[in-house]
Amino acid sequence: MSARTFILSLEGVCKTFEGFKAIHELNFYLDEGELRVIIGPNGAGKSTMLDLITGRARPDKGTVTFGRDTDLTTLNECEINQLGIGRKFQTPSVYSDHSVFENIWLSLEGRRGVLSTLFSRVRPADRDRVHEVLSTVGLSQVAHSKAGNLSHGQKQWLEIGMLIAQNPKVLLVDEPAAGMTDEETARTGELLMSLAGKHSIVVIEHDMVFVRQIARKVTVLHQGSVLCEGNVDEVQNNPRVVEVYLGRKKRGDS
Ligand code: ADP
Ligand code: MG
């Protein structure tokens, strides 16, 4: 074994649902500050892998480790989130009746929940931090709009902003470009690239244009295991990947 420390390590992980092997002997290592893209056909186990990292599901076997030695399999979802592992689900969930500013403010690291926040004033340091996050995700212009009135793409960026507001070490993002226009997709790619380094990021995505835009290293998941890893060209030219994923996708089967 090397002495290298990863921010996330999954080793020999298995997860079965009613006899179906959703994750099978999965090994996955994420470097600190890395932006990793995970692709794979529907049902490959991509979202389940995130469930196992975030404590939403428990592995039947194997280890899930954060940093050098924090065993995530013994912690619940809330504890894992508090360690600095944030997840963005596919469908955006924002407080529609609150402003964009308030949504970020409510999410700030160290806040005690919606009620205590709504009855308190915005501290100057918090205001600065909210504006910093809004600028990062490109929503400064709509800070005072109701979140419910944003476009689909803007809601996704707001939700990424709400995650960043918690200052997570690891960001797990499931299919951020789904339902976005090409322009929104490209902006999302730029945003994620700007966040890498400061955060370690795992992005699950289907859109190969988007994958090519952002990816340094791509992991292909198939039947709950890693089929191959490499840069976009290596992965796209790998005959097994073409067979199980890209080939089928060309025929419109993904
Ligand atoms: P992906 O995100 O790669 O499309 P998933 O991780 O969502 O794939 O699903 C992998 C497989 O595990 C699928 O066959 C799915 O039906 C199954 N699965 C996922 N979560 C559950 C669950 N909670 N109960 C039963 N089966 C599940
Ligand atoms: Mg999924």
Side-chain angles (χ1 to χ4, degrees), residues 17 20 22 41-48:
F17 293 111
F20 177 80
N42 282 332
K46 304 181 296 297
S47 298
T48 303

